[in-house]
Amino acid sequence: MTRKRVLSGIQPTHDSFHLGNYLGAVKQWVELQKEHDAFYCVVDLHALTVETDPALLRKRTLVSAAQLIALGVDPDKCTLFLQSHIAEHNQLGWIMECLTGFGEASRMTQFKDKSQKSGSDRTVVGLFTYPMLQAADILLYQADLVPVGEDQRQHIELTRDLAGRFNSRYGATFQIPEAYIMKAGAKINDLQDPTSKMSKSAASMQGVIEIMDSPEINAKKIKSSMTDTGREVRFDEKEKPGISNLLTIHSSLSGRSISELENEFEGKGYGDFKSAVAEVVVDYLAPIRTRTLELLADESALVEILRVGAAKARVVASETLVKTYKNLGIVT
Ligand code: TYM
């Protein structure tokens, strides 16, 4: 039996991934690579929708690849590569743009949110066509599953629509992918504003746990996180969003169930609970940070891993592009 295909991507827009990226997505990448034919990429072209200094983009791309490996993405078990190394992403991206309605693209909530924040004069066209490039990332590899956090659901829906539309107009070409979204961890919230998602673009980083931050800083952020009224450590997203978020984080990292944790902290206050969460997070992240720094110390070895990954990815991507061109009537 052939293994199912998996594809996912992550943007190198910051110096560190945060806990939401890991628990919402990368943790599943690591699980899925065991039994699936997995393709994972750092989507550096998507990161160009935000103006970045070239030296910083380079640094962040490498730190992203290193963090993925340190978090358990294993280049011997999956194909790990940079999006920009495979020209077919842009080529299929154009075809996806020609298939997408203007109104359909205008309804993407991430585009609406981001463009509203920066105003139309400062919003680049690439932000508008972003989901079509994302669709190309997925469809090029004929992915069955796309492990992502909840915030990507709409982009995966669009990808499914585009694949179905292409297949019905031009004949079976693309596998229709499915979003793979875990219940726990699909939305990790900000520690200071526990009803909003933890995000790289948060106004303040006080509520964002970054993998590359020092253990001291992360412990402090957790201990000073916003909690709710009352004293009881109980999972209740409506009444206790702060405590529920911390319970999700603890449970996802320690592997212990939420109800087990509720029992353990029965009768104890928020302070004890937060200290325990801080300990779990720090113990989990410290070796990952160290390993990331080790990988970054040998940059040429890291780049070589990405080159090997690109060579594997290119085989699949070019096959899909040739098929797509043929079905479209492009002379090949
Ligand atoms: P990006 O780089 O913003 O985020 C990477 C992954 O992290 C997940 N995530 C979260 N999950 C739970 N809680 C949070 N607070 C949280 N914040 C982020 C995201 O859902 C994502 O899975 N458009 C994508 C990148 C992309 C992609 C693709 C993904 C480009 N091409 C193809 C899958 C397939 C993005 O911006 O992810």
Side-chain angles (χ1 to χ4, degrees):
M1 206 184 81
T2 53
R3 290 182 304 162
K4 279 196 174 177
R5 278 273 167 75
V6 172
L7 177 126
S8 199
I10 190 160
Q11 296 195 76
T13 40
H14 291 76
D15 294 332
S16 175
F17 295 149
H18 58 68
L19 210 49
N21 296 133
Y22 176 58
L23 296 178
V26 180
K27 193 161 179 269
Q28 279 63 255
W29 298 17
V30 174
E31 272 310 303
L32 288 169
Q33 71 185 350
K34 294 179 188 156
E35 312 236 318
H36 297 74
D37 184 16
F39 290 78
Y40 298 131
C41 55
V42 175
V43 290
D44 48 355
L45 298 173
H46 275 117
L48 299 179
T49 53
V50 179
E51 192 182 335
T52 313
D53 169 70
L56 205 54
L57 178 68
R58 185 170 200 287
K59 178 174 165 241
R60 288 174 170 175
T61 303
L62 293 173
V63 84
S64 297
Q67 281 175 100
L68 289 177
I69 298 172
L71 286 166
V73 171
D74 181 349
D76 291 329
K77 293 198 184 124
C78 70
T79 302
L80 175 65
F81 64 103
L82 299 184
Q83 182 191 35
S84 61
H85 284 185
I86 311 295
E88 282 83 352
H89 288 245
N90 297 81
Q91 293 172 293
L92 188 63
W94 173 250
I95 291 166
M96 291 299 132
E97 285 172 35
C98 294
L99 210 61
T100 309
F102 195 85
E104 193 174 31
S106 309
R107 283 192 293 276
M108 293 293 114
T109 52
Q110 290 218 327
F111 169 73
K112 286 198 285 188
D113 290 350
K114 289 187 182 170
S115 58
Q116 256 162 24
K117 268 189 200 150
S118 41
S120 67
D121 283 345
R122 295 192 51 215
T123 299
V124 295
V125 174
L127 198 63
F128 188 62
T129 57
Y130 180 116
M132 287 67 104
L133 181 59
Q134 180 164 350
D137 298 340
I138 298 167
L139 300 181
L140 265 182
Y141 299 91
Q142 306 288 359
D144 299 287
L145 299 175
V146 186
V148 284
E150 185 59 45
D151 62 349
Q152 296 299 309
R153 191 185 286 282
Q154 196 188 29
H155 287 171
I156 312 301
E157 272 308 311
L158 176 72
T159 304
R160 289 168 58 84
D161 290 347
L162 295 176
R165 193 173 305 162
F166 191 101
N167 288 349
S168 67
R169 281 191 201 162
Y170 305 106
T173 309
F174 300 116
Q175 173 65 33
I176 313 271
E178 258 175 57
Y180 183 88
I181 301 177
M182 299 300 284
K183 267 217 178 95
K187 186 166 175 252
I188 298 297
N189 287 333
D190 188 287
L191 300 183
Q192 290 300 331
D193 176 11
T195 51
S196 309
K197 74 166 182 178
M198 190 177 281
S199 160
K200 296 176 203 174
S201 48
S204 147
M205 293 308 276
Q206 271 318 99
V208 181
I209 296 294
E210 294 192 284
I211 288 167
M212 297 305 289
D213 258 347
S214 70
E216 295 74 29
I217 291 183
N218 279 337
K220 198 163 161 222
K221 283 183 181 173
I222 292 170
K223 287 182 186 161
S224 52
S225 63
M226 172 92 113
T227 39
D228 321 288
T229 49
R231 282 181 47 88
E232 221 186 324
V233 176
R234 181 168 48 84
F235 191 87
D236 179 340
E237 280 178 309
K238 261 220 167 92
E239 299 294 321
K240 291 174 171 279
I243 289 297
S244 303
N245 194 38
L246 291 178
L247 277 167
T248 302
I249 291 173
H250 189 315
S251 161
S252 305
L253 293 178
S254 65
R256 297 174 58 199
S257 71
I258 302 253
S259 56
E260 206 180 320
L261 295 172
E262 285 172 336
N263 287 339
E264 180 179 336
F265 290 96
E266 204 181 323
K268 296 187 185 146
Y270 286 166
D272 284 355
F273 174 58
K274 284 191 200 175
S275 296
V277 178
E279 196 179 318
V280 166
V281 169
V282 163
D283 286 353
Y284 199 94
L285 294 185
I288 290 163
R289 178 172 180 251
T290 309
R291 179 78 188 115
T292 304
L293 295 174
E294 277 168 16
L295 286 158
L296 285 171
D298 190 351
E299 192 179 299
S300 54
L302 186 58
V303 172
E304 184 55 25
I305 290 175
L306 297 170
R307 290 222 181 91
V308 170
K312 285 200 278 171
R314 198 169 291 118
V315 176
V316 179
S318 63
E319 196 183 309
T320 303
L321 193 74
V322 168
K323 186 172 168 193
T324 309
Y325 275 6
K326 275 204 181 123
N327 290 353
L328 274 168
I330 289 176
V331 178
T332 54

Short mmCIF file of all heavy atoms in Angstrom, two decimals, residues 63 65-73 75 212 285-298 302 305:
data_model
loop_
_atom_site.label_atom_id
_atom_site.label_comp_id
_atom_site.label_asym_id
_atom_site.label_seq_id
_atom_site.Cartn_x
_atom_site.Cartn_y
_atom_site.Cartn_z
N VAL A 63 17.14 29.86 10.70
CA VAL A 63 16.73 29.53 12.07
C VAL A 63 15.42 28.75 12.06
O VAL A 63 15.19 27.87 12.90
CB VAL A 63 16.67 30.80 12.96
CG1 VAL A 63 15.39 31.55 12.85
CG2 VAL A 63 16.90 30.45 14.42
N ALA A 65 14.52 26.56 9.66
CA ALA A 65 14.86 25.18 9.29
C ALA A 65 15.49 24.47 10.49
O ALA A 65 15.15 23.31 10.80
CB ALA A 65 15.80 25.17 8.09
N ALA A 66 16.39 25.15 11.17
CA ALA A 66 17.07 24.54 12.32
C ALA A 66 16.07 24.20 13.43
O ALA A 66 16.13 23.12 14.03
CB ALA A 66 18.15 25.48 12.85
N GLN A 67 15.14 25.12 13.67
CA GLN A 67 14.14 24.84 14.73
C GLN A 67 13.28 23.63 14.36
O GLN A 67 12.93 22.82 15.22
CB GLN A 67 13.21 26.04 14.92
CG GLN A 67 13.78 27.16 15.74
CD GLN A 67 12.82 28.34 15.76
OE1 GLN A 67 12.08 28.52 16.71
NE2 GLN A 67 12.80 29.11 14.70
N LEU A 68 12.91 23.53 13.08
CA LEU A 68 12.07 22.39 12.68
C LEU A 68 12.79 21.08 13.00
O LEU A 68 12.21 20.15 13.56
CB LEU A 68 11.72 22.46 11.19
CG LEU A 68 10.74 23.54 10.79
CD1 LEU A 68 10.53 23.56 9.27
CD2 LEU A 68 9.38 23.33 11.48
N ILE A 69 14.09 21.04 12.65
CA ILE A 69 14.86 19.81 12.89
C ILE A 69 14.97 19.57 14.40
O ILE A 69 14.76 18.45 14.88
CB ILE A 69 16.24 19.90 12.22
CG1 ILE A 69 16.08 20.04 10.69
CG2 ILE A 69 17.08 18.67 12.56
CD1 ILE A 69 17.37 20.34 9.94
N ALA A 70 15.25 20.63 15.14
CA ALA A 70 15.38 20.48 16.60
C ALA A 70 14.07 20.03 17.24
O ALA A 70 14.05 19.31 18.23
CB ALA A 70 15.85 21.80 17.21
N LEU A 71 12.95 20.43 16.64
CA LEU A 71 11.64 20.04 17.18
C LEU A 71 11.26 18.61 16.80
O LEU A 71 10.25 18.09 17.25
CB LEU A 71 10.55 21.00 16.68
CG LEU A 71 10.55 22.39 17.33
CD1 LEU A 71 9.69 23.36 16.53
CD2 LEU A 71 10.04 22.32 18.77
N GLY A 72 12.07 18.01 15.93
CA GLY A 72 11.82 16.59 15.61
C GLY A 72 11.49 16.30 14.15
O GLY A 72 11.29 15.13 13.79
N VAL A 73 11.43 17.32 13.32
CA VAL A 73 11.23 17.05 11.89
C VAL A 73 12.55 16.45 11.39
O VAL A 73 13.60 17.08 11.50
CB VAL A 73 10.89 18.37 11.14
CG1 VAL A 73 10.91 18.15 9.63
CG2 VAL A 73 9.53 18.89 11.60
N PRO A 75 14.96 15.03 8.61
CA PRO A 75 15.20 15.02 7.16
C PRO A 75 15.41 13.60 6.58
O PRO A 75 15.33 13.42 5.37
CB PRO A 75 16.47 15.85 6.97
CG PRO A 75 16.68 16.56 8.26
CD PRO A 75 15.98 15.80 9.33
N MET A 212 12.89 30.15 21.04
CA MET A 212 14.28 30.56 21.17
C MET A 212 14.54 31.53 22.33
O MET A 212 15.65 31.97 22.53
CB MET A 212 14.78 31.18 19.85
CG MET A 212 14.77 30.21 18.68
SD MET A 212 15.69 28.70 18.97
CE MET A 212 17.37 29.33 18.96
N LEU A 285 11.34 23.01 26.28
CA LEU A 285 11.95 23.87 25.24
C LEU A 285 13.46 24.01 25.35
O LEU A 285 14.13 24.23 24.33
CB LEU A 285 11.30 25.26 25.24
CG LEU A 285 9.82 25.32 24.84
CD1 LEU A 285 9.37 26.78 24.77
CD2 LEU A 285 9.57 24.63 23.50
N ALA A 286 14.00 23.89 26.56
CA ALA A 286 15.44 24.16 26.72
C ALA A 286 16.32 23.33 25.77
O ALA A 286 17.16 23.88 25.06
CB ALA A 286 15.85 24.00 28.18
N PRO A 287 16.15 22.00 25.71
CA PRO A 287 17.01 21.23 24.80
C PRO A 287 16.77 21.56 23.32
O PRO A 287 17.68 21.44 22.50
CB PRO A 287 16.66 19.77 25.11
CG PRO A 287 15.42 19.78 25.90
CD PRO A 287 15.29 21.13 26.53
N ILE A 288 15.56 22.00 23.02
CA ILE A 288 15.25 22.33 21.61
C ILE A 288 16.00 23.59 21.20
O ILE A 288 16.56 23.68 20.10
CB ILE A 288 13.72 22.48 21.45
CG1 ILE A 288 13.10 21.09 21.57
CG2 ILE A 288 13.35 23.13 20.11
CD1 ILE A 288 11.63 21.07 21.83
N ARG A 289 16.05 24.54 22.13
CA ARG A 289 16.79 25.76 21.85
C ARG A 289 18.28 25.45 21.67
O ARG A 289 18.92 25.91 20.72
CB ARG A 289 16.57 26.73 23.02
CG ARG A 289 17.31 28.02 22.91
CD ARG A 289 16.84 28.93 24.05
NE ARG A 289 17.50 30.21 24.03
CZ ARG A 289 18.40 30.58 24.93
NH1 ARG A 289 18.77 29.75 25.89
NH2 ARG A 289 18.95 31.78 24.85
N THR A 290 18.82 24.62 22.56
CA THR A 290 20.24 24.26 22.47
C THR A 290 20.54 23.57 21.14
O THR A 290 21.51 23.89 20.46
CB THR A 290 20.62 23.30 23.64
OG1 THR A 290 20.17 23.91 24.85
CG2 THR A 290 22.08 23.02 23.70
N ARG A 291 19.68 22.64 20.78
CA ARG A 291 19.89 21.89 19.52
C ARG A 291 19.81 22.83 18.31
O ARG A 291 20.58 22.70 17.35
CB ARG A 291 18.84 20.77 19.41
CG ARG A 291 18.92 19.93 18.18
CD ARG A 291 20.04 18.88 18.26
NE ARG A 291 20.23 18.20 16.99
CZ ARG A 291 21.34 18.29 16.26
NH1 ARG A 291 22.37 19.01 16.66
NH2 ARG A 291 21.43 17.66 15.10
N THR A 292 18.90 23.78 18.35
CA THR A 292 18.77 24.74 17.24
C THR A 292 20.07 25.51 17.09
O THR A 292 20.58 25.67 15.97
CB THR A 292 17.60 25.73 17.50
OG1 THR A 292 16.42 24.97 17.71
CG2 THR A 292 17.41 26.69 16.35
N LEU A 293 20.63 25.96 18.21
CA LEU A 293 21.87 26.74 18.15
C LEU A 293 23.02 25.88 17.61
O LEU A 293 23.85 26.35 16.83
CB LEU A 293 22.21 27.32 19.53
CG LEU A 293 21.18 28.35 20.03
CD1 LEU A 293 21.47 28.77 21.47
CD2 LEU A 293 21.13 29.59 19.12
N GLU A 294 23.04 24.61 17.98
CA GLU A 294 24.08 23.71 17.46
C GLU A 294 23.96 23.58 15.94
O GLU A 294 24.94 23.64 15.22
CB GLU A 294 23.90 22.29 18.04
CG GLU A 294 24.51 22.08 19.41
CD GLU A 294 24.05 20.76 20.05
OE1 GLU A 294 23.53 19.87 19.32
OE2 GLU A 294 24.20 20.65 21.27
N LEU A 295 22.74 23.40 15.48
CA LEU A 295 22.53 23.24 14.03
C LEU A 295 22.93 24.51 13.28
O LEU A 295 23.50 24.45 12.19
CB LEU A 295 21.06 22.91 13.75
CG LEU A 295 20.63 21.49 14.11
CD1 LEU A 295 19.12 21.41 14.31
CD2 LEU A 295 21.06 20.51 13.02
N LEU A 296 22.65 25.66 13.88
CA LEU A 296 22.98 26.93 13.22
C LEU A 296 24.49 27.17 13.17
O LEU A 296 24.97 27.89 12.30
CB LEU A 296 22.30 28.09 13.95
CG LEU A 296 20.80 28.21 13.71
CD1 LEU A 296 20.20 29.25 14.66
CD2 LEU A 296 20.51 28.60 12.26
N ALA A 297 25.20 26.53 14.09
CA ALA A 297 26.65 26.73 14.13
C ALA A 297 27.31 26.12 12.90
O ALA A 297 28.41 26.51 12.53
CB ALA A 297 27.21 26.12 15.41
N ASP A 298 26.67 25.15 12.26
CA ASP A 298 27.24 24.56 11.04
C ASP A 298 26.29 24.86 9.88
O ASP A 298 25.52 24.01 9.43
CB ASP A 298 27.43 23.05 11.24
CG ASP A 298 28.24 22.43 10.10
OD1 ASP A 298 28.49 23.14 9.10
OD2 ASP A 298 28.62 21.26 10.23
N LEU A 302 23.59 22.63 7.29
CA LEU A 302 22.15 22.89 7.30
C LEU A 302 21.64 23.17 5.88
O LEU A 302 20.61 22.62 5.44
CB LEU A 302 21.88 24.09 8.22
CG LEU A 302 20.44 24.47 8.50
CD1 LEU A 302 19.67 23.31 9.13
CD2 LEU A 302 20.38 25.68 9.45
N ILE A 305 21.36 20.01 3.89
CA ILE A 305 20.14 19.25 4.19
C ILE A 305 18.99 19.78 3.34
O ILE A 305 18.21 19.02 2.75
CB ILE A 305 19.78 19.37 5.70
CG1 ILE A 305 20.79 18.59 6.54
CG2 ILE A 305 18.36 18.88 5.97
CD1 ILE A 305 20.60 18.74 8.05
#
